[in-house]
Amino acid sequence: IEILSHKDFVMGTMTTRFIETHFANALKAPSLTAEEKEYADLQMKELKSANLSSQNSRGLLNTSEASPWQSFWRGI
């Protein structure tokens, strides 16, 4: 809503740096508490472990590491 109501957007005078110039703070990652970081790290480890386990059970891995070309959301 802020972008749509910004004068440069409304006037059509914005540039390719519009977001960077006027909304740079909105692009920064939110700060997390130590507890939130720990929880996020744990979830990522579990997700990676589940992904590797799923690939191994289907015989998709010939090495100890998954191919960077494979993605867990593609249902390999």
Side-chain angles (χ1 to χ4, degrees):
I1 292 177
E2 289 181 52
I3 292 171
L4 296 175
S5 61
H6 193 279
K7 70 175 181 125
D8 288 343
F9 186 87
V10 172
M11 298 298 292
T13 59
M14 73 279 187
T15 68
T16 55
R17 295 190 177 257
F18 177 77
I19 301 291
E20 179 183 334
T21 302
H22 299 289
F23 297 95
N25 289 334
L27 300 176
K28 294 180 182 173
S31 12
L32 301 175
T33 66
E35 184 178 323
E36 290 170 328
K37 287 178 186 176
E38 184 178 335
Y39 181 74
D41 289 342
L42 176 64
Q43 293 302 310
M44 284 302 295
K45 286 177 187 174
E46 288 182 14
L47 180 61
K48 288 177 183 179
S49 175
N51 185 37
L52 288 175
S53 176
S54 173
Q55 289 178 358
N56 279 327
S57 69
R58 289 185 268 170
L60 295 174
L61 293 178
N62 295 325
T63 65
S64 62
E65 192 172 316
S67 165
W69 297 103
Q70 296 175 334
S71 300
F72 65 90
W73 58 81
R74 292 186 181 162
I76 305 175

